[in-house]
Amino acid sequence: MRIGTSLVEVGQYNEKVVLNALRRLGPASQRDIAASTQLSVQTVSAIVRHLLSIDVLREIGTDFRGRGRPHVIVDLVPEAAYSIGVHVDPAVTSLVMLDMKGRVVASSDSDEPTLADPVEAMKQTAGRIRELVERTGVPEDRIVGVCMAVPGVVDVANGSLRESVWLPEWQDAPLGALLAEGLGAEKPIPVVKDTISASIGECWVRGGDILDSTMVFVYLGAGIGLGLAVDGEPLAGASGNSGEVGTILKTLGMFEEDSDGGLDNDPALLVERAHGKGAIDGDLPPRADHHAVREALHQVCDKAENGNQEARDILQAAAQRIATLTVGAVELIDADLIVLGGPYFKELQPYYQKAVEDLLAESATQRHRDVQIMESIMDEDAGAIGAAAVVLDRRYTPRSRRTRMEDMPNRN
């Protein structure tokens, strides 16, 4: 079904097209923007004048190339808008404030484990958001929204977790409404899957050529997931839950004698296996103590680097599963870019990235085109940065009504 568009929506859409062009091009002249967007110079000129008048764009210089009048160079105003992202992880709840250009203005990480009670957790998160805003001194009218990213299967329409291995007590809790209540907001805060938010964040923060790519984002956190994007637009799926890979990892584990039903790459299981083989010292940390699990994973990686063969074998087997998963996704959507990131990426990079590179080099895909591999620009805060980027993406990126995530129906 084709949906009609009003003239007002056309004007707003074209404004977003111009803003998106500047994210791709960087500072540019109106003529360069027109060439990039296929809008007329006259249309671009009218849009730029309006955006200059409301301080979304600013003039930063003059281009004297060629004959005729010099061209004024314009760019996004970073202070034009700010957004706040919340990432709920079993070990930590992270907050990030981004400016219009995707730069981190402030961040806050809680050292305390995530509370089992979602009502109290959202109340505390709202308090931390208010503290963050007060600390930055950013005027509240410049903050255009808040978004929360969570691990697991999300009910986008109701702002809740349908299912999560990591936060089972939170299932079906109205997280978006609870956080909105704590902030005094009229509408529920949007809740999205963290792998999807990470792919949006990578596109928003990095900008440039990545907005013309077909990307597979490999998210390595307490769990594993994929974020997929084409030309800077996330492939969210029918319910906003694309990137689930549990069944694929379970299938890969079927070829291993000691597989644990698809959880073989979870950090807690890698630590458990290393402990069972004597590859780490001390007692086995409980799975629920995510801080201790992370410290133990550090130790596994250190042992492997220092020649412990048992630790090395465990990490290499895990890396091979990730490589198979990644290259399979690349072939499925014909991707030309792989981004590796997430909270646990730094520890696992020497093994996972090499395995992906090696398997990709053997694939037919790489023989026919160049697939680039890069490290995420967002470091450990990929979930929170991605959530903040979702706000900016929804507000300023041109999307057809069919593909806007905020218009996604409830398909229960």
Side-chain angles (χ1 to χ4, degrees), residues 309-390:
Q309 192 59 47
E310 297 284 3
R312 187 171 293 174
D313 288 346
I314 289 169
L315 294 177
Q316 286 177 338
Q320 194 58 47
R321 288 188 292 270
I322 290 296
T324 304
L325 171 70
T326 303
V327 174
V330 167
E331 293 178 343
L332 182 66
I333 69 169
D334 194 25
D336 58 3
L337 175 64
I338 299 168
V339 178
L340 302 169
Y344 283 88
F345 172 65
K346 287 293 187 183
E347 292 98 322
L348 299 167
Q349 180 178 13
Y351 295 90
Y352 284 21
Q353 184 161 339
K354 184 179 187 305
V356 171
E357 290 171 349
D358 290 347
L359 188 58
L360 184 65
E362 298 172 3
S363 71
T365 297
Q366 190 73 321
R367 290 198 296 272
H368 295 297
R369 69 179 188 284
D370 181 47
V371 180
Q372 189 177 3
I373 302 175
M374 62 175 61
E375 177 181 346
S376 172
I377 199 171
M378 297 182 293
D379 295 326
E380 294 186 1
D381 283 331
I385 292 173
V390 168

Side-chain angles (χ1 to χ4, degrees), residues 140 144-146 176-190:
E140 290 193 16
V144 296
V146 179
L178 291 171
L179 184 55
E181 181 180 350
L183 294 172
E186 295 180 1
K187 296 181 179 180
I189 301 302

Side-chain angles (χ1 to χ4, degrees), residues 51 61 74 109 234 249 255 288 314 339 355 369 377 391 397 410-411:
L51 295 175
V74 296
D109 291 332
L249 289 175
F255 299 99
I314 289 169
V339 178
R369 69 179 188 284
I377 199 171
V391 176
T397 299
N410 185 353
R411 302 196 181 203

Side-chain angles (χ1 to χ4, degrees), residues 114-119 161 164-173 175:
T114 301
L115 297 176
D117 179 7
V119 176
L161 265 171
S164 177
V165 174
W166 312 112
L167 298 165
E169 304 91 343
W170 289 35
Q171 185 168 324
D172 297 326
L175 303 178

Side-chain angles (χ1 to χ4, degrees), residues 258 266-285 296-301 303-304 308-315:
D258 60 345
D266 290 354
L269 187 59
L270 297 180
V271 167
E272 183 180 317
R273 288 179 175 173
H275 184 270
K277 294 181 178 295
I280 58 174
D281 306 321
D283 296 331
L284 177 67
L297 184 62
H298 273 300
Q299 189 180 152
V300 175
C301 294
K303 292 270 189 178
N308 185 297
Q309 192 59 47
E310 297 284 3
R312 187 171 293 174
D313 288 346
I314 289 169
L315 294 177

Side-chain angles (χ1 to χ4, degrees), residues 205-220:
V205 175
R206 193 181 291 273
D209 292 343
I210 198 173
L211 299 180
D212 296 319
S213 71
T214 299
M215 177 180 70
V216 172
F217 188 110
V218 184
Y219 185 87
L220 304 171

